[in-house]
Amino acid sequence: MATAPAALDAYREEADRFIAALDEEYYLHFAGLKEEFELTPIYERYSDLATLDACRRVGEAAESGDRGAIELWRFACEGYMGDLTRGELEEIAHLEASLTAEVDGGEIGFRMLRPALANEPDRSRRERLDRARVDLTERELNPHQLAIAETRREATTRLGAASYRELYERFGFPLDELAGQCERFLAETEDLFVSAFDRLFQRRVGVPLEDARRWDVPRLFRATEWDSGFRADAMLPALEATLAGLGIDLRAQENVHLDIESRPTKTPRAFCAPIEVPGRVMLVIQPIGGPDDWHALFHEAGHTEHYAHTSADLPVEARRLGDNAVTEGWAMLLELLVNDPAWLERRLDFAKPEEFAAEATAGLLYFVRRYAAKFLYELDLHAGDDFDSMRQGYVERMQDALKIEVSEADYLGDVDPGFYSSSYLRAWAFESTLRGFLREEFGRTWFTRREAGSLLRELWHEGQRPTADELLDEVAGAEVTLDAVSDRIRETIAS
């Protein structure tokens, strides 16, 4: 295996095949097509990619400052940690697919508890469903989550970093800068959030924000009163029409595959599995009805179109790795069209588009505040303290941001590896500014303009070679900052 700075091609090719195999396994299991989540055979087949020696060799190549080499170094380190934790990850996936809870005399699968919460109108039953989920999480899943967290921490020291946080700073993640933006965003949108969510909870759930509980949140976002405007049979036609307006024929994309069937063991969390980039891209959602389905479909369609248009000539670090705020930004751009009054009027002949847009934007504010708090908590979690002592820190961070108490049982399961929360936050910032640029250039109905589609395809072609910051500077001459998200939200919500 070649890993010298001038000879990384062999490592790149093997890395590409390794990621393809992982994405296919991820797709098959989490789409509910395969019972077991079998990572071990894949890691064994590509064992030379994820050794400590490989990390050190690729790390030496990254000392040149070449971004591609740095991305390969991050990939090697994450592969090393993934190899060490794959057994626990397999067991968690097996448990999530096989565990059931008994609620009110009936059994319900663990992965269906969250959808059941969202679709349950009875508040007391929602509480019982939530307590069942929390009990299974604490008793069955958390021992494995804790083992993973401890293993990653130990592995980090072997990789030469004092902490997980320091390791990602070496990869170029702007953690301190983003933390400052998060603190400012939370402070500046506090009053707006409390006012908007108090109205929303009273209207949708029948309780004020101060009386809301965590089991009310999924029901709030289910937004059943809007179901008639977001019919299941209209989802794909609306997506097809939107892409057609941009000059993209979804049905003619042989490299794009849609999986929208409901299966008992399919994860409720929508995802895109780019098994081959750009050759075979899977778009997967688990339908539960209403606006959430539409947001999920359009979000994953953003990922899908990005990967499907990525140049096949790019190296693996630009096709599959790179700044994930880029692909998340493209996903947000299409997802948030569903909230746009101009899009609702054009594509759905929607009743009360302004009212829906205000409610949906309040939801956006909730999620950005949630991820801001989550990111700040993750910085604390990875600073080196005892993991179990972080339970209360998780509850305090989230409750301060959302004004609703969360379960401490989620203090590890709510953490995505690799500071992925930072990618979501920067993606929202990227999307807010890019959307403004597209509206200025092509009008409020920019999504109907072939010229806008040509620009998007040109940018998608670059994969993730440029960072979100570089893309936004090139296109709009602007910076990636959460201030743009604040401005976008205030446009729609009146305090």
Side-chain angles (χ1 to χ4, degrees):
M1 179 182 65
T3 54
L8 287 173
D9 287 347
Y11 189 87
R12 286 186 174 98
E13 176 59 28
E14 202 170 358
D16 186 61
R17 296 300 84 215
F18 175 61
I19 298 171
L22 287 178
D23 279 342
E24 182 157 30
E25 182 68 15
Y26 188 94
Y27 165 68
L28 291 172
H29 175 75
F30 288 98
L33 295 167
K34 184 172 184 246
E35 184 175 348
E36 298 300 325
F37 187 43
E38 297 177 291
L39 297 176
T40 296
I42 300 171
Y43 274 93
E44 289 177 348
R45 193 156 73 245
Y46 296 95
S47 59
D48 58 334
L49 287 174
T51 65
L52 188 58
D53 182 61
C55 294
R56 289 170 176 161
R57 287 178 178 273
V58 180
E60 290 173 3
E63 290 176 2
S64 66
D66 175 74
R67 184 182 297 155
I70 293 172
E71 284 300 321
L72 289 171
W73 178 38
R74 176 165 71 94
F75 163 79
C77 292
E78 289 177 344
Y80 173 65
M81 288 185 277
D83 189 25
L84 295 174
T85 58
R86 57 184 160 84
E88 300 289 353
L89 290 169
E90 288 174 334
E91 183 60 21
I92 288 172
H94 169 74
L95 289 169
E96 287 180 345
S98 61
L99 286 173
T100 60
E102 185 174 326
V103 181
D104 298 339
E107 281 198 351
I108 183 168
F110 179 82
R111 284 182 177 161
M112 295 308 295
L113 283 169
R114 288 189 187 274
L117 272 167
N119 282 303
E120 178 54 62
D122 183 81
R123 199 177 185 213
S124 61
R125 178 168 164 80
R126 286 203 301 271
E127 180 178 0
R128 293 191 292 276
L129 287 165
D130 177 80
R131 293 194 184 284
R133 183 198 69 80
V134 168
D135 178 65
L136 286 174
T137 298
E138 188 69 88
R139 179 162 41 87
E140 302 287 348
L141 302 182
N142 275 357
H144 301 286
Q145 295 283 10
L146 182 58
I148 289 171
E150 290 173 340
T151 299
R152 283 185 182 138
R153 178 171 287 180
E154 293 166 3
T156 297
T157 61
R158 291 196 289 275
L159 290 167
S163 68
Y164 195 75
R165 174 176 178 169
E166 181 188 301
L167 182 64
Y168 278 81
E169 288 171 340
R170 292 184 183 181
F171 296 147
F173 280 47
L175 302 181
D176 286 339
E177 177 188 342
L178 185 58
Q181 290 186 32
C182 287
E183 296 281 12
R184 186 169 66 251
F185 181 87
L186 289 169
E188 291 179 352
T189 62
E190 172 97 359
D191 293 342
L192 181 63
F193 174 78
V194 170
S195 174
F197 255 71
D198 185 63
R199 292 195 300 269
L200 198 56
F201 263 109
Q202 293 197 56
R203 183 158 59 248
R204 286 190 183 170
V205 186
V207 298
L209 177 60
E210 65 181 358
D211 293 335
R213 298 294 180 263
R214 63 177 180 264
W215 46 85
D216 296 320
V217 175
R219 185 61 179 172
L220 177 91
F221 284 110
R222 177 62 182 82
T224 55
E225 65 269 33
W226 296 109
D227 280 2
S228 61
F230 294 101
R231 303 190 326 272
D233 61 354
M235 285 172 61
L236 276 177
L239 175 61
E240 289 171 345
T242 300
L243 293 175
L246 295 167
I248 300 167
D249 185 347
L250 181 62
R251 297 284 181 180
Q253 290 182 282
E254 295 182 357
N255 56 341
V256 172
H257 306 270
L258 304 179
D259 184 338
I260 60 172
E261 295 180 16
S262 180
R263 303 184 188 100
T265 58
K266 192 178 190 180
T267 180
R269 184 173 182 174
F271 67 93
C272 168
I275 297 171
E276 299 291 349
V277 180
R280 184 181 173 216
V281 185
M282 317 301 291
L283 192 167
V284 186
I285 62 169
Q286 171 84 311
I288 64 171
D292 275 353
D293 267 7
W294 286 64
H295 285 122
L297 176 63
F298 276 71
H299 181 98
E300 298 308 325
H303 283 306
T304 299
E305 293 303 328
H306 176 217
Y307 289 123
H309 284 89
T310 293
S311 171
D313 295 329
L314 291 171
V316 64
E317 58 267 33
R319 286 184 295 109
R320 294 189 180 272
L321 306 176
D323 181 4
N324 285 316
V326 174
T327 191
E328 293 298 344
W330 297 127
M332 300 296 183
L333 184 68
L334 288 195
E335 175 190 348
L336 296 180
L337 267 181
V338 176
N339 303 344
D340 190 324
W343 182 85
L344 291 166
E345 292 170 352
R346 184 85 176 205
R347 293 296 172 215
L348 299 184
D349 190 23
F350 195 82
K352 301 180 181 179
E354 301 291 345
E355 183 180 331
F356 176 77
E359 290 194 5
T361 303
L364 173 63
L365 176 57
Y366 171 92
F367 282 107
V368 180
R369 286 182 64 86
R370 188 184 193 286
Y371 269 80
K374 177 176 167 175
F375 172 69
L376 293 170
Y377 163 71
E378 288 172 359
L379 292 179
D380 295 337
L381 180 73
H382 293 307
D385 292 338
D386 173 67
F387 284 117
D388 204 52
S389 68
M390 295 305 300
R391 289 173 173 267
Q392 192 56 35
Y394 171 73
V395 173
E396 290 173 357
R397 279 283 192 189
M398 303 306 284
Q399 186 168 2
D400 185 57
L402 306 177
K403 314 307 173 190
I404 298 171
E405 185 175 2
V406 300
S407 171
E408 68 173 35
D410 295 321
Y411 81 113
L412 292 176
D414 193 23
V415 175
D416 294 322
F419 287 105
Y420 206 89
S421 57
S422 69
S423 296
Y424 283 123
L425 289 163
R426 294 175 58 246
W428 276 310
F430 173 82
E431 186 278 339
S432 293
T433 302
L434 184 62
R435 168 184 173 269
F437 170 80
L438 291 170
R439 286 164 65 106
E440 288 178 10
E441 286 289 307
F442 305 108
R444 290 179 67 247
T445 57
W446 62 266
F447 47 85
T448 66
R449 300 284 298 276
R450 294 293 182 99
E451 303 96 317
S454 294
L455 174 61
L456 294 181
R457 288 194 297 276
E458 180 183 334
L459 298 173
W460 290 338
H461 189 74
E462 292 296 308
Q464 294 192 170
R465 178 162 54 186
T467 65
D469 306 79
E470 289 168 342
L471 266 179
L472 202 56
D473 180 57
E474 176 188 343
V475 174
E479 297 179 350
V480 174
T481 171
L482 289 177
D483 291 340
V485 184
S486 299
D487 293 341
R488 183 218 175 109
I489 290 171
R490 291 182 190 281
E491 285 178 11
T492 309
I493 304 178
S495 59

